[in-house]
């Protein structure tokens, strides 16, 4: 599929208040194109609450329900139940940041997943709380500067996509702002799956990560090229790597060193070689964890190794 | 119409069913748990045609209710105490969102000191969230009030959520005869907005100070308007079902009274016994029962109390650092009245301590001078 195959119809309108180079808004635009008109969007407190614009205006051209920070999955459950009861056909989509997903909203997310609500939950992961001015979240990587981790975060991030796999929901996928057609395809697929679906997008953020705003797509790609972000799908109990991550696993593409990716971002500028080493180790650990997952459930991908 | 011997919780669940509730999202907590259980049973057996979302917390319960209400369904939930406190953020949200959620609250104390018994502190501390609050004194009233609450909450001039409160265990777990059936009292809920894909709307986005004050003023004004709607609803309910269930306030032997007991919830029904006893002893005592605490029926309260010499206000909750909440409200309502009676505040029954008519009698006769009715007088 080519980028030109993505429909021209816009549901995230120009003039929204996102920063230049914002991956979140770029990906939301793509997600809305993939689902189309009959979308009900649920948005918790986040950058999206801001960039959608102020009343009486709105930059989002589908029905939107803004909700509190911790309750997007439960609000969406109520909306879906109500629409089903009324016989209204719609895809109910949560569009939440990593703060709303990894931290304060995790309980509601896990419960909605366990209930297998017919919802598509999309987390745009910019690896911190942007809306409140760059604070750490559970998705912030080791070493990253934020305004609550001045000398760099001391812990590695957790992984909610993997938690969703552990919930054994019908569909889990990861995507990156570096590959919009891949995102589009995964959302199209998710749209047609019944039950709880979780898609997590790595969404670089120029002011939070401290890189020039014209390098967002590049950041999204470098993350995958260096193995800091891994693209995969989990569908009906089968795990498989996708896109460049698959090519890397199959040895068709070489994994780049993380240092290049880290040094492109001001938030990692202070890292020592020891810190970078810790991140390298973390990346290796994640790959071998996912390799186990792939080997355990899907023999075809079992040979991948990094 | 059917007569049954049921608990307050069963009355609430049956009222939700008979009101044609379409979506329920709820989480168990003593003493309101049986409401959720009963609804689950009715939904599973097909007696109730609703979607039940068994969420993982009260925060999620209220969020799901708001979502379902905003997308056009009549919704219901029930909770108590810590569960209500856990909902707090969303209680504000429901009011500002103008979603007419109706919730049963079996009142219970809040810990620590785990205490599962009656205490109105849980709902009193949600006083300023923008919810309508009704406090019931019998199981019949719980049933009728849930039904009427929908009519009030969904009225286009009101559009506010409403909680129907009743003392935990005292009402929630005590069986009483209740007449059920509401005939044609409620129509299908027609939300003022709908999920429209051709003319999509964004709900709840950033609202600047140019608009927010108007939004709050509108919530405020709608509470005011609700007083009239509540009176009309009470009348309409009576004429349709033949049952009189006070919705705003109730006056009992107050016409010639020199002393008024002012009470709320189950203590108000106990107070009726005290009134009858005191009357037999030749004392001119009456009762003003506050049924609706928000909106507060100030004008009617003034009218009811202007002719008495003394008003003894009994609270089953306190605002630490000040006094009982009902006491504060009664004083505030009467502040501008020229014929203001002497107003005395008493606190009773916290954490489920039994409040007998004898204790109320003693309080009226001037005992418990420190304001605390803490003795169980048998
Ligand atoms: C209960 C509650 N606590 C805190 C906040 C303040 N708050 C609003 S958005 C936000 C961070 C959002 O972060 P994330 O979900 O990652 O989205 P992003 O801002 O990165 O888009 C915080 C802490 C809030 N709105 N509600
Ligand atoms: S702060 Fe980051 S996530 Fe938020 S709008 Fe700007 S670029 Fe997008």
């Amino acid at each position: 599929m080519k980028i030109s195959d993505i429909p021209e119809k816009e549901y995230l309108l120009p003039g929204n208040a996102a920063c230049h180079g914002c991956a979140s808004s770029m990906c939301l635009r793509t997600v809305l194109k993939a689902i189309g008109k009959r979308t009900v969007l649920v948005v918790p407190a986040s950058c999206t609450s801001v960039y959608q614009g102020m009343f009486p205006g709105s930059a989002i051209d589908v029905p939107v329900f803004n909700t509190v920070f911790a309750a997007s999955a439960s609000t969406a459950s109520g909306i879906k139940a109500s629409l089903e009861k009324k016989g209204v056909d719609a895809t109910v989509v949560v569009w939440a940041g990593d703060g709303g997903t990894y931290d304060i909203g995790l309980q509601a997310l896990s419960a909605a997943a366990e209930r297998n609500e017919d919802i598509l939950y999309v987390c745009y992961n910019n690896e911190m709380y942007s809306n409140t001015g760059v604070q750490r979240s559970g998705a912030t990587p080791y070493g990253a500067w934020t305004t609550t981790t001045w000398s760099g975060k001391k812990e590695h991030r957790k992984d909610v996509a993997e938690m969703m796999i552990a919930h054994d929901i019908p569909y889990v996928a990861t995507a990156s702002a570096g590959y919009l057609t891949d995102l589009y395809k995964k959302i199209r697929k998710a749209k047609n799956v019944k039950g709880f679906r979780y898609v997590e997008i790595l969404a670089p953020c120029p002011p939070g990560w401290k890189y020039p705003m014209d390098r967002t797509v590049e950041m999204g790609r470098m993350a995958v090229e260096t193995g800091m972000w891994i693209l995969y799908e989990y569908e009906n109990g089968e795990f498989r790597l996708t896109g460049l991550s698959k090519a890397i696993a199959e040895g068709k593409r070489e994994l780049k060193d993380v240092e290049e990716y880290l040094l492109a971002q001001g938030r990692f500028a202070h890292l020592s070689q020891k810190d970078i080493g810790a991140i390298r180790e973390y990346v290796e650990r994640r790959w071998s964890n996912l390799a186990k997952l792939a080997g355990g459930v899907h023999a075809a991908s079992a040979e991948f190794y990094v | 119409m059917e007569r049954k011997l049921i608990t307050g919780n069963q009355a609430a669940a049956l009222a939700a069913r008979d009101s044609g509730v379409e979506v329920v999202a709820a989480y168990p907590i003593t003493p309101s748990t049986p409401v959720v259980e009963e609804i689950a049973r009715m939904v599973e057996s097909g007696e109730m045609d609703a979607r039940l979302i068994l969420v993982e917390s009260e925060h999620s319960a209220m969020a799901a209710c708001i979502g379902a209400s905003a997308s056009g369904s009549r919704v219901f939930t029930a909770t108590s105490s810590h569960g209500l406190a856990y909902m707090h953020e969303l209680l504000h949200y429901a009011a500002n969102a103008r979603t007419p959620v109706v919730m049963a609250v079996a009142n219970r104390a809040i810990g620590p000191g785990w205490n599962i018994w009656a205490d109105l502190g849980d709902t009193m501390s949600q006083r300023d969230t923008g919810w309508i609050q009704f406090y019931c004194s019998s199981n019949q009233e719980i049933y009728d009030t849930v039904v009427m609450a929908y009519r009030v909450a969904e009225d286009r001039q009101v559009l506010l959520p409403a909680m129907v409160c009743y003392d935990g265990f005292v009402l929630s777990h005590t069986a009483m005869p209740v007449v059920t059936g509401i005939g044609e009292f409620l129509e299908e809920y027609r939300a003022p907005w709908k999920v429209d894909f051709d003319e999509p709307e964004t709900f709840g986005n950033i609202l600047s100070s140019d608009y927010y004050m108007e939004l709050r003023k509108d919530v405020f004004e709608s509470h005011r308007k609700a007083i009239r709607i509540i009176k009309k609803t009470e009348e309409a309910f009576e004429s349709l079902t033949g049952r009189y269930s006070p919705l705003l306030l109730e006056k009992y032997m107050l016409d010639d009274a020199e002393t008024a007991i002012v009470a709320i919830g189950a203590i108000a029904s106990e107070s009726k016994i005290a009134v009858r006893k005191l009357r037999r002893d030749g004392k001119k005592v009456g009762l003003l029962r506050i049924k609706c605490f928000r909106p507060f029926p100030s004008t009617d309260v003034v009218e009811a109390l202007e002719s008495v010499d003394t008003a003894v206000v009994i609270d089953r909750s306190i605002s630490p650092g000040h006094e009982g909440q009902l006491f504060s409200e009664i004083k505030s309502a009467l502040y501008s009245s020229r014929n203001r009676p002497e107003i005395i505040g008493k606190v009773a029954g916290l954490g489920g301590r039994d409040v007998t008519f004898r204790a109320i009698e003693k309080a009226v006769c001037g005992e418990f001078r420190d304001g605390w009715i803490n003795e169980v007088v048998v």
Side-chain angles (χ1 to χ4, degrees):
Chain A
M1 167 180 191
K2 298 188 299 293
I3 195 115
S4 54
D5 295 332
I6 296 179
E8 280 178 24
K9 169 85 183 142
E10 300 289 354
Y11 296 97
L12 177 64
L13 306 176
N16 68 69
C19 307
H20 294 287
C22 172
S24 168
S25 55
M26 188 169 84
C27 294
L28 176 58
R29 178 177 172 225
T30 309
V31 165
L32 292 176
K33 281 170 182 278
I35 303 171
K37 184 173 166 177
R38 299 190 74 82
T39 306
V40 177
L41 201 67
V42 177
V43 179
S46 58
C47 271
T48 313
S49 358
V50 178
Y51 71 61
Q52 67 183 262
M54 286 200 328
F55 176 87
S58 172
I60 303 179
D61 207 13
V62 296
V64 182
F65 193 87
N66 286 282
T67 190
V68 300
F69 200 16
S72 28
S74 28
T75 306
S77 302
I79 292 175
K80 184 65 193 181
S82 172
L83 293 179
E84 260 175 17
K85 190 86 181 56
K86 305 244 162 241
V88 178
D89 168 43
T91 308
V92 177
V93 181
V94 171
W95 180 257
D98 50 295
T101 303
Y102 276 65
D103 299 337
I104 200 165
L106 184 63
Q107 173 178 306
L109 165 63
S110 169
E114 184 267 335
R115 292 193 304 272
N116 199 24
E117 298 281 354
D118 193 16
I119 293 168
L120 169 54
Y121 190 112
V122 188
C123 167
Y124 64 95
N125 178 358
N126 54 23
E127 302 188 326
M128 37 133 207
Y129 304 164
S130 298
N131 174 252
T132 37
V134 192
Q135 294 83 33
R136 101 196 267 285
S137 79
T140 303
Y142 173 89
W145 162 92
T146 68
T147 62
T148 51
T149 55
W150 293 96
S151 52
K153 193 185 171 202
K154 300 283 182 288
E155 308 81 22
H156 290 291
R157 59 173 287 238
K158 60 175 164 176
D159 194 310
V160 169
E162 282 183 53
M163 281 178 70
M164 286 295 110
I165 292 176
H167 284 65
D168 200 21
I169 55 176
Y171 186 76
V172 181
T174 57
S176 159
Y179 306 96
L180 290 181
T181 47
D182 179 59
L183 170 65
Y184 180 85
K185 278 195 293 194
K186 283 172 174 162
I187 297 288
R188 289 289 294 182
K189 186 185 273 185
K191 181 189 171 184
N192 296 317
V193 173
K194 181 124 180 81
F196 199 83
R197 297 142 275 165
Y198 179 82
V199 177
E200 184 169 328
I201 311 166
L202 182 74
C205 164
W209 293 18
K210 298 187 179 298
Y211 65 83
M213 60 194 173
D214 58 352
R215 294 188 70 189
T216 290
V217 170
E218 204 183 328
M219 287 305 143
R221 292 195 172 174
M222 274 164 89
V224 178
E225 287 161 0
T226 57
M228 278 291 276
W229 189 254
I230 303 172
L231 299 174
Y232 59 79
E233 274 180 319
Y234 176 83
E235 201 182 351
N236 299 323
E238 284 196 7
F239 177 92
R240 61 177 163 273
L241 292 164
T242 60
L244 186 65
S245 299
K246 180 164 179 272
I248 292 169
E250 289 168 349
K252 291 179 185 152
R253 284 282 291 273
E254 209 176 317
L255 192 67
K256 289 190 182 159
D257 187 67
V258 289
E259 189 164 353
E260 183 188 347
Y261 172 68
L262 298 174
L263 295 186
Q265 303 167 44
R267 63 175 174 156
F268 292 117
H270 58 280
L271 291 191
S272 65
Q273 276 307 316
K274 199 165 153 242
D275 289 330
I276 293 173
I279 294 174
R280 259 187 216 116
E281 266 172 42
Y282 167 80
V283 170
E284 276 166 29
R285 219 168 40 244
R286 281 222 52 224
W287 276 92
S288 59
N289 282 350
L290 289 181
K292 270 185 234 146
L293 199 55
V297 291
H298 186 39
S301 316
E303 75 262 20
F304 92 75
Y305 161 77
V306 180
Chain B
M1 306 280 163
E2 207 184 328
R3 200 177 167 85
K4 298 186 173 95
L5 191 66
I6 53 174
T7 64
N9 283 330
Q10 283 172 314
L14 292 184
R17 178 197 67 187
D18 296 348
S19 300
V21 163
E22 296 162 287
V23 178
V24 178
Y27 193 76
I29 180 168
T30 306
S32 64
T33 304
V35 181
V36 189
E37 292 172 332
E38 183 63 10
I39 287 177
R41 189 194 62 72
M42 290 192 294
V43 170
E44 275 183 36
S45 68
E47 273 169 67
M48 182 171 178
D49 180 22
R51 279 287 310 269
L52 173 61
I53 313 176
L54 294 167
V55 285
E56 86 300 340
S57 73
E58 291 84 357
H59 193 273
S60 283
M62 189 45 65
C65 282
I66 293 169
S69 178
S71 41
S73 293
R74 180 171 287 159
V75 304
F76 180 78
T77 188
T79 193
S80 296
S81 180
H82 289 258
L84 186 69
Y86 200 34
M87 277 181 190
H88 180 73
E89 177 184 34
L90 287 144
L91 296 182
H92 283 280
Y93 214 81
N96 271 17
R98 311 306 292 264
T99 44
V101 178
V102 172
M103 167 163 63
V105 183
N107 288 105
R108 158 185 160 181
I110 298 187
W114 283 119
N115 176 304
I116 56 171
W117 295 281
D119 189 306
L120 308 190
D122 54 357
T123 47
M124 283 291 164
S125 59
Q126 305 299 344
R127 182 189 67 175
D128 300 334
T129 52
W131 281 59
I132 293 170
Q133 289 194 334
F134 299 115
Y135 289 82
C136 301
S137 295
S138 72
N139 293 359
Q140 181 70 59
E141 232 186 53
I142 296 171
Y143 179 88
D144 294 344
T145 307
V146 167
V147 174
M148 286 190 279
Y150 281 108
R151 182 100 160 228
V152 175
E154 292 168 3
D155 190 289
R156 289 296 166 93
Q157 293 188 60
V158 179
L159 274 181
L160 289 167
M163 44 181 106
V164 178
C165 315
Y166 47 95
D167 302 51
F169 291 100
V170 182
L171 296 177
S172 70
H173 284 64
T174 308
M176 300 176 188
V178 173
V179 179
T180 61
I182 62 166
E184 305 288 299
F185 181 71
L186 286 176
E187 288 173 5
E188 199 185 317
Y189 174 48
R190 293 195 194 290
W193 52 75
K194 70 179 180 97
V195 175
D196 187 335
F197 299 100
D198 295 314
E199 293 287 332
E201 282 186 271
T202 290
F203 184 88
N205 55 338
I206 292 184
L207 196 67
S208 71
S209 47
D210 295 339
Y211 297 97
Y212 189 82
M213 199 148 164
E214 277 66 30
L215 179 144
R216 293 296 286 166
K217 191 166 176 225
D218 200 54
V219 169
F220 183 85
E221 295 295 339
S222 300
H223 262 279
R224 286 225 165 131
K225 289 182 199 149
I227 300 244
R228 200 172 50 81
I229 307 296
I230 288 167
K231 288 181 179 169
K232 273 176 55 186
T233 302
E234 183 186 286
E235 282 165 24
F237 189 78
E238 188 182 7
S239 71
L240 228 122
T241 65
R243 295 199 293 276
Y244 169 66
S245 250
L247 205 52
L248 197 62
L249 41 73
E250 182 188 7
K251 292 180 235 173
Y252 182 72
M253 298 195 180
L254 205 56
D255 287 345
D256 63 338
E258 287 161 6
T259 300
I261 301 172
V262 183
I264 188 163
I267 289 183
S269 26
E270 194 70 15
S271 299
K272 281 191 187 172
I273 305 173
V275 166
R276 287 201 293 271
K277 179 74 181 6
L278 287 159
R279 286 265 172 182
R280 278 204 299 277
D281 298 344
K283 297 202 168 69
K284 289 192 164 176
V285 180
L287 167 74
L288 174 66
R289 173 162 79 92
I290 303 299
K291 170 72 180 281
C292 180
F293 191 70
R294 279 291 179 275
F296 195 76
S298 300
T299 312
D300 300 74
V301 165
V302 172
E303 222 175 84
L305 295 180
E306 260 180 344
S307 54
V308 303
D309 302 327
T310 311
V312 180
V313 184
I314 308 177
D315 270 283
R316 190 172 222 152
S317 59
I318 47 161
S319 173
H322 198 33
E323 58 197 6
Q325 290 93 336
L326 183 61
F327 183 39
S328 293
E329 303 291 7
I330 296 291
K331 284 193 294 182
S332 145
L334 285 161
Y335 177 75
S336 51
S337 162
R338 284 177 191 281
N339 306 315
R340 187 166 68 214
E342 183 189 6
I343 310 167
I344 298 165
K346 305 279 181 196
V347 174
L350 301 190
R353 185 161 304 178
D354 203 12
V355 185
T356 63
F357 67 88
R358 288 186 205 283
I360 297 169
E361 226 184 290
K362 276 179 94 174
V364 172
C365 295
E367 296 198 34
F368 307 112
R369 301 198 81 88
D370 67 349
W372 287 79
I373 306 179
N374 40 18
E375 188 190 335
V376 179
V377 189
V378 286

